[in-house]
Amino acid sequence: MSLMFQPLRKYATFSGRARRKEYWLWQLFVALLYTALTIWLVSTLGPIPETATADEMMAQMNGAPAAMYPMIAIGLASLLLFLPSLAVTVRRIHDSGNSGWWILLGLTAVGGIVILVFALIDGTPGPNRYGADPKGRAAPAY
């Protein structure tokens, strides 16, 4: 459980390495938080007809001033969680022995797949140029 909040303790630390468990627990925390905030937003709006247009939904949001609070909370959460999310992703890429600049691939159409692969593969055993192995494994003997 402590790994889930490790990115908050290392708020903007881009150096070092992050285990897969730390990365995915952080992603789970962020997903649960945004799900809860979205449920709060939808519950303040009330029922929305399936055939409602974007203008009709905006009018309903303007008619529900209580919807302002969950929207502010979503905006603040996005601002506060941006740097820890970016930092834990860079540290996760470092765990595979690659430069954190690979994260810029996420700005392209297929780059998200590359970042997903980096997040899924196991890190290099033993220390690499970005730090000690977070799992505490020794370097392989060749």
Side-chain angles (χ1 to χ4, degrees), residues 8-27:
L8 286 176
R9 286 191 282 279
K10 297 180 178 180
Y11 192 82
T13 304
F14 291 88
S15 61
R17 297 168 64 173
R19 295 175 58 180
R20 279 184 292 188
K21 189 174 186 179
E22 176 186 348
Y23 176 81
W24 288 110
L25 283 174
W26 173 254
Q27 295 301 328

PDB file of all heavy atoms in Angstrom, residues 8-27:
ATOM      1  N   LEU A   8       3.776  10.363  -4.601  1.00  0.00           N
ATOM      2  CA  LEU A   8       3.498  11.616  -3.906  1.00  0.00           C
ATOM      3  C   LEU A   8       4.662  12.002  -2.997  1.00  0.00           C
ATOM      4  O   LEU A   8       4.959  13.183  -2.834  1.00  0.00           O
ATOM      5  CB  LEU A   8       2.211  11.506  -3.085  1.00  0.00           C
ATOM      6  CG  LEU A   8       0.923  11.515  -3.899  1.00  0.00           C
ATOM      7  CD1 LEU A   8      -0.275  11.306  -2.988  1.00  0.00           C
ATOM      8  CD2 LEU A   8       0.775  12.801  -4.681  1.00  0.00           C
ATOM      9  N   ARG A   9       5.316  11.007  -2.405  1.00  0.00           N
ATOM     10  CA  ARG A   9       6.482  11.297  -1.579  1.00  0.00           C
ATOM     11  C   ARG A   9       7.653  11.757  -2.428  1.00  0.00           C
ATOM     12  O   ARG A   9       8.474  12.553  -1.992  1.00  0.00           O
ATOM     13  CB  ARG A   9       6.867  10.060  -0.767  1.00  0.00           C
ATOM     14  CG  ARG A   9       5.918   9.794   0.392  1.00  0.00           C
ATOM     15  CD  ARG A   9       6.447   8.748   1.335  1.00  0.00           C
ATOM     16  NE  ARG A   9       6.296   7.395   0.845  1.00  0.00           N
ATOM     17  CZ  ARG A   9       5.179   6.673   0.908  1.00  0.00           C
ATOM     18  NH1 ARG A   9       4.102   7.199   1.438  1.00  0.00           N
ATOM     19  NH2 ARG A   9       5.130   5.441   0.464  1.00  0.00           N
ATOM     20  N   LYS A  10       7.746  11.237  -3.658  1.00  0.00           N
ATOM     21  CA  LYS A  10       8.786  11.656  -4.604  1.00  0.00           C
ATOM     22  C   LYS A  10       8.125  12.550  -5.654  1.00  0.00           C
ATOM     23  O   LYS A  10       8.231  12.299  -6.845  1.00  0.00           O
ATOM     24  CB  LYS A  10       9.397  10.426  -5.288  1.00  0.00           C
ATOM     25  CG  LYS A  10      10.103   9.490  -4.360  1.00  0.00           C
ATOM     26  CD  LYS A  10      10.653   8.318  -5.151  1.00  0.00           C
ATOM     27  CE  LYS A  10      11.418   7.358  -4.300  1.00  0.00           C
ATOM     28  NZ  LYS A  10      11.945   6.232  -5.083  1.00  0.00           N
ATOM     29  N   TYR A  11       7.482  13.609  -5.204  1.00  0.00           N
ATOM     30  CA  TYR A  11       6.577  14.416  -6.025  1.00  0.00           C
ATOM     31  C   TYR A  11       7.126  14.752  -7.409  1.00  0.00           C
ATOM     32  O   TYR A  11       6.471  14.515  -8.409  1.00  0.00           O
ATOM     33  CB  TYR A  11       6.210  15.703  -5.281  1.00  0.00           C
ATOM     34  CG  TYR A  11       5.080  16.445  -5.923  1.00  0.00           C
ATOM     35  CD1 TYR A  11       3.779  16.075  -5.680  1.00  0.00           C
ATOM     36  CD2 TYR A  11       5.320  17.507  -6.786  1.00  0.00           C
ATOM     37  CE1 TYR A  11       2.720  16.730  -6.262  1.00  0.00           C
ATOM     38  CE2 TYR A  11       4.268  18.182  -7.373  1.00  0.00           C
ATOM     39  CZ  TYR A  11       2.978  17.790  -7.115  1.00  0.00           C
ATOM     40  OH  TYR A  11       1.941  18.446  -7.702  1.00  0.00           O
ATOM     41  N   ALA A  12       8.309  15.308  -7.492  1.00  0.00           N
ATOM     42  CA  ALA A  12       8.880  15.694  -8.788  1.00  0.00           C
ATOM     43  C   ALA A  12      10.288  15.138  -8.932  1.00  0.00           C
ATOM     44  O   ALA A  12      11.159  15.783  -9.504  1.00  0.00           O
ATOM     45  CB  ALA A  12       8.882  17.201  -8.934  1.00  0.00           C
ATOM     46  N   THR A  13      10.500  13.925  -8.449  1.00  0.00           N
ATOM     47  CA  THR A  13      11.800  13.280  -8.553  1.00  0.00           C
ATOM     48  C   THR A  13      11.841  12.455  -9.825  1.00  0.00           C
ATOM     49  O   THR A  13      11.173  11.421  -9.929  1.00  0.00           O
ATOM     50  CB  THR A  13      12.062  12.377  -7.330  1.00  0.00           C
ATOM     51  OG1 THR A  13      11.941  13.164  -6.159  1.00  0.00           O
ATOM     52  CG2 THR A  13      13.439  11.756  -7.403  1.00  0.00           C
ATOM     53  N   PHE A  14      12.618  12.926 -10.786  1.00  0.00           N
ATOM     54  CA  PHE A  14      12.698  12.240 -12.071  1.00  0.00           C
ATOM     55  C   PHE A  14      13.903  11.310 -12.150  1.00  0.00           C
ATOM     56  O   PHE A  14      14.052  10.582 -13.118  1.00  0.00           O
ATOM     57  CB  PHE A  14      12.764  13.264 -13.210  1.00  0.00           C
ATOM     58  CG  PHE A  14      11.474  14.011 -13.387  1.00  0.00           C
ATOM     59  CD1 PHE A  14      11.217  15.165 -12.676  1.00  0.00           C
ATOM     60  CD2 PHE A  14      10.508  13.542 -14.251  1.00  0.00           C
ATOM     61  CE1 PHE A  14      10.032  15.847 -12.829  1.00  0.00           C
ATOM     62  CE2 PHE A  14       9.303  14.209 -14.410  1.00  0.00           C
ATOM     63  CZ  PHE A  14       9.074  15.365 -13.698  1.00  0.00           C
ATOM     64  N   SER A  15      14.754  11.322 -11.146  1.00  0.00           N
ATOM     65  CA  SER A  15      15.925  10.449 -11.151  1.00  0.00           C
ATOM     66  C   SER A  15      15.599   9.170 -10.393  1.00  0.00           C
ATOM     67  O   SER A  15      14.715   9.145  -9.537  1.00  0.00           O
ATOM     68  CB  SER A  15      17.117  11.152 -10.517  1.00  0.00           C
ATOM     69  OG  SER A  15      16.814  11.484  -9.179  1.00  0.00           O
ATOM     70  N   GLY A  16      16.313   8.125 -10.712  1.00  0.00           N
ATOM     71  CA  GLY A  16      16.105   6.854 -10.038  1.00  0.00           C
ATOM     72  C   GLY A  16      15.224   5.921 -10.856  1.00  0.00           C
ATOM     73  O   GLY A  16      14.989   6.130 -12.046  1.00  0.00           O
ATOM     74  N   ARG A  17      14.761   4.889 -10.189  1.00  0.00           N
ATOM     75  CA  ARG A  17      13.986   3.845 -10.849  1.00  0.00           C
ATOM     76  C   ARG A  17      12.708   3.566 -10.070  1.00  0.00           C
ATOM     77  O   ARG A  17      12.652   3.799  -8.867  1.00  0.00           O
ATOM     78  CB  ARG A  17      14.827   2.569 -10.928  1.00  0.00           C
ATOM     79  CG  ARG A  17      16.069   2.740 -11.766  1.00  0.00           C
ATOM     80  CD  ARG A  17      17.043   1.604 -11.610  1.00  0.00           C
ATOM     81  NE  ARG A  17      16.511   0.330 -12.077  1.00  0.00           N
ATOM     82  CZ  ARG A  17      17.238  -0.776 -12.160  1.00  0.00           C
ATOM     83  NH1 ARG A  17      18.510  -0.772 -11.815  1.00  0.00           N
ATOM     84  NH2 ARG A  17      16.701  -1.889 -12.582  1.00  0.00           N
ATOM     85  N   ALA A  18      11.685   3.087 -10.766  1.00  0.00           N
ATOM     86  CA  ALA A  18      10.417   2.740 -10.128  1.00  0.00           C
ATOM     87  C   ALA A  18      10.033   1.317 -10.537  1.00  0.00           C
ATOM     88  O   ALA A  18      10.114   0.958 -11.706  1.00  0.00           O
ATOM     89  CB  ALA A  18       9.315   3.706 -10.546  1.00  0.00           C
ATOM     90  N   ARG A  19       9.619   0.537  -9.567  1.00  0.00           N
ATOM     91  CA  ARG A  19       9.164  -0.821  -9.837  1.00  0.00           C
ATOM     92  C   ARG A  19       7.842  -0.800 -10.583  1.00  0.00           C
ATOM     93  O   ARG A  19       7.092   0.176 -10.545  1.00  0.00           O
ATOM     94  CB  ARG A  19       8.956  -1.569  -8.523  1.00  0.00           C
ATOM     95  CG  ARG A  19      10.196  -1.784  -7.733  1.00  0.00           C
ATOM     96  CD  ARG A  19       9.897  -2.424  -6.412  1.00  0.00           C
ATOM     97  NE  ARG A  19       9.209  -3.701  -6.604  1.00  0.00           N
ATOM     98  CZ  ARG A  19       8.822  -4.486  -5.608  1.00  0.00           C
ATOM     99  NH1 ARG A  19       9.035  -4.136  -4.371  1.00  0.00           N
ATOM    100  NH2 ARG A  19       8.216  -5.617  -5.861  1.00  0.00           N
ATOM    101  N   ARG A  20       7.543  -1.931 -11.234  1.00  0.00           N
ATOM    102  CA  ARG A  20       6.248  -2.052 -11.895  1.00  0.00           C
ATOM    103  C   ARG A  20       5.125  -1.897 -10.888  1.00  0.00           C
ATOM    104  O   ARG A  20       4.104  -1.238 -11.166  1.00  0.00           O
ATOM    105  CB  ARG A  20       6.105  -3.416 -12.574  1.00  0.00           C
ATOM    106  CG  ARG A  20       6.772  -3.507 -13.907  1.00  0.00           C
ATOM    107  CD  ARG A  20       6.497  -4.828 -14.545  1.00  0.00           C
ATOM    108  NE  ARG A  20       7.161  -5.884 -13.779  1.00  0.00           N
ATOM    109  CZ  ARG A  20       7.230  -7.139 -14.163  1.00  0.00           C
ATOM    110  NH1 ARG A  20       6.663  -7.525 -15.273  1.00  0.00           N
ATOM    111  NH2 ARG A  20       7.846  -8.026 -13.428  1.00  0.00           N
ATOM    112  N   LYS A  21       5.276  -2.499  -9.720  1.00  0.00           N
ATOM    113  CA  LYS A  21       4.229  -2.445  -8.703  1.00  0.00           C
ATOM    114  C   LYS A  21       3.938  -1.001  -8.299  1.00  0.00           C
ATOM    115  O   LYS A  21       2.779  -0.609  -8.167  1.00  0.00           O
ATOM    116  CB  LYS A  21       4.661  -3.269  -7.496  1.00  0.00           C
ATOM    117  CG  LYS A  21       3.599  -3.488  -6.471  1.00  0.00           C
ATOM    118  CD  LYS A  21       4.099  -4.444  -5.404  1.00  0.00           C
ATOM    119  CE  LYS A  21       3.000  -4.801  -4.437  1.00  0.00           C
ATOM    120  NZ  LYS A  21       3.471  -5.732  -3.412  1.00  0.00           N
ATOM    121  N   GLU A  22       4.979  -0.205  -8.111  1.00  0.00           N
ATOM    122  CA  GLU A  22       4.795   1.206  -7.753  1.00  0.00           C
ATOM    123  C   GLU A  22       4.043   1.940  -8.854  1.00  0.00           C
ATOM    124  O   GLU A  22       3.095   2.687  -8.593  1.00  0.00           O
ATOM    125  CB  GLU A  22       6.148   1.868  -7.520  1.00  0.00           C
ATOM    126  CG  GLU A  22       6.080   3.350  -7.244  1.00  0.00           C
ATOM    127  CD  GLU A  22       7.447   4.000  -7.159  1.00  0.00           C
ATOM    128  OE1 GLU A  22       8.471   3.298  -7.095  1.00  0.00           O
ATOM    129  OE2 GLU A  22       7.483   5.242  -7.177  1.00  0.00           O
ATOM    130  N   TYR A  23       4.458   1.717 -10.103  1.00  0.00           N
ATOM    131  CA  TYR A  23       3.831   2.399 -11.233  1.00  0.00           C
ATOM    132  C   TYR A  23       2.359   2.024 -11.353  1.00  0.00           C
ATOM    133  O   TYR A  23       1.502   2.896 -11.468  1.00  0.00           O
ATOM    134  CB  TYR A  23       4.575   2.047 -12.527  1.00  0.00           C
ATOM    135  CG  TYR A  23       3.943   2.643 -13.761  1.00  0.00           C
ATOM    136  CD1 TYR A  23       4.181   3.963 -14.106  1.00  0.00           C
ATOM    137  CD2 TYR A  23       3.094   1.900 -14.564  1.00  0.00           C
ATOM    138  CE1 TYR A  23       3.594   4.525 -15.224  1.00  0.00           C
ATOM    139  CE2 TYR A  23       2.509   2.448 -15.689  1.00  0.00           C
ATOM    140  CZ  TYR A  23       2.765   3.754 -16.013  1.00  0.00           C
ATOM    141  OH  TYR A  23       2.168   4.304 -17.120  1.00  0.00           O
ATOM    142  N   TRP A  24       2.041   0.739 -11.311  1.00  0.00           N
ATOM    143  CA  TRP A  24       0.659   0.305 -11.529  1.00  0.00           C
ATOM    144  C   TRP A  24      -0.231   0.605 -10.335  1.00  0.00           C
ATOM    145  O   TRP A  24      -1.429   0.874 -10.509  1.00  0.00           O
ATOM    146  CB  TRP A  24       0.612  -1.165 -11.924  1.00  0.00           C
ATOM    147  CG  TRP A  24       1.124  -1.351 -13.321  1.00  0.00           C
ATOM    148  CD1 TRP A  24       2.287  -1.947 -13.699  1.00  0.00           C
ATOM    149  CD2 TRP A  24       0.517  -0.864 -14.524  1.00  0.00           C
ATOM    150  NE1 TRP A  24       2.429  -1.879 -15.063  1.00  0.00           N
ATOM    151  CE2 TRP A  24       1.362  -1.224 -15.596  1.00  0.00           C
ATOM    152  CE3 TRP A  24      -0.644  -0.170 -14.812  1.00  0.00           C
ATOM    153  CZ2 TRP A  24       1.071  -0.912 -16.922  1.00  0.00           C
ATOM    154  CZ3 TRP A  24      -0.939   0.143 -16.130  1.00  0.00           C
ATOM    155  CH2 TRP A  24      -0.085  -0.225 -17.161  1.00  0.00           C
ATOM    156  N   LEU A  25       0.305   0.575  -9.120  1.00  0.00           N
ATOM    157  CA  LEU A  25      -0.508   0.979  -7.973  1.00  0.00           C
ATOM    158  C   LEU A  25      -0.826   2.473  -8.038  1.00  0.00           C
ATOM    159  O   LEU A  25      -1.920   2.903  -7.659  1.00  0.00           O
ATOM    160  CB  LEU A  25       0.197   0.639  -6.659  1.00  0.00           C
ATOM    161  CG  LEU A  25       0.145  -0.828  -6.246  1.00  0.00           C
ATOM    162  CD1 LEU A  25       1.003  -1.068  -5.017  1.00  0.00           C
ATOM    163  CD2 LEU A  25      -1.286  -1.269  -5.986  1.00  0.00           C
ATOM    164  N   TRP A  26       0.131   3.266  -8.529  1.00  0.00           N
ATOM    165  CA  TRP A  26      -0.134   4.699  -8.711  1.00  0.00           C
ATOM    166  C   TRP A  26      -1.223   4.899  -9.763  1.00  0.00           C
ATOM    167  O   TRP A  26      -2.130   5.708  -9.572  1.00  0.00           O
ATOM    168  CB  TRP A  26       1.139   5.433  -9.115  1.00  0.00           C
ATOM    169  CG  TRP A  26       0.884   6.861  -9.467  1.00  0.00           C
ATOM    170  CD1 TRP A  26       0.875   7.416 -10.710  1.00  0.00           C
ATOM    171  CD2 TRP A  26       0.571   7.920  -8.563  1.00  0.00           C
ATOM    172  NE1 TRP A  26       0.581   8.751 -10.625  1.00  0.00           N
ATOM    173  CE2 TRP A  26       0.392   9.087  -9.324  1.00  0.00           C
ATOM    174  CE3 TRP A  26       0.426   7.992  -7.186  1.00  0.00           C
ATOM    175  CZ2 TRP A  26       0.074  10.304  -8.746  1.00  0.00           C
ATOM    176  CZ3 TRP A  26       0.108   9.216  -6.620  1.00  0.00           C
ATOM    177  CH2 TRP A  26      -0.063  10.358  -7.400  1.00  0.00           C
ATOM    178  N   GLN A  27      -1.145   4.161 -10.860  1.00  0.00           N
ATOM    179  CA  GLN A  27      -2.165   4.276 -11.902  1.00  0.00           C
ATOM    180  C   GLN A  27      -3.540   3.870 -11.368  1.00  0.00           C
ATOM    181  O   GLN A  27      -4.553   4.486 -11.710  1.00  0.00           O
ATOM    182  CB  GLN A  27      -1.790   3.424 -13.122  1.00  0.00           C
ATOM    183  CG  GLN A  27      -0.538   3.876 -13.838  1.00  0.00           C
ATOM    184  CD  GLN A  27      -0.623   5.300 -14.353  1.00  0.00           C
ATOM    185  OE1 GLN A  27      -1.681   5.791 -14.725  1.00  0.00           O
ATOM    186  NE2 GLN A  27       0.497   5.981 -14.349  1.00  0.00           N
TER     187      GLN A  27
END
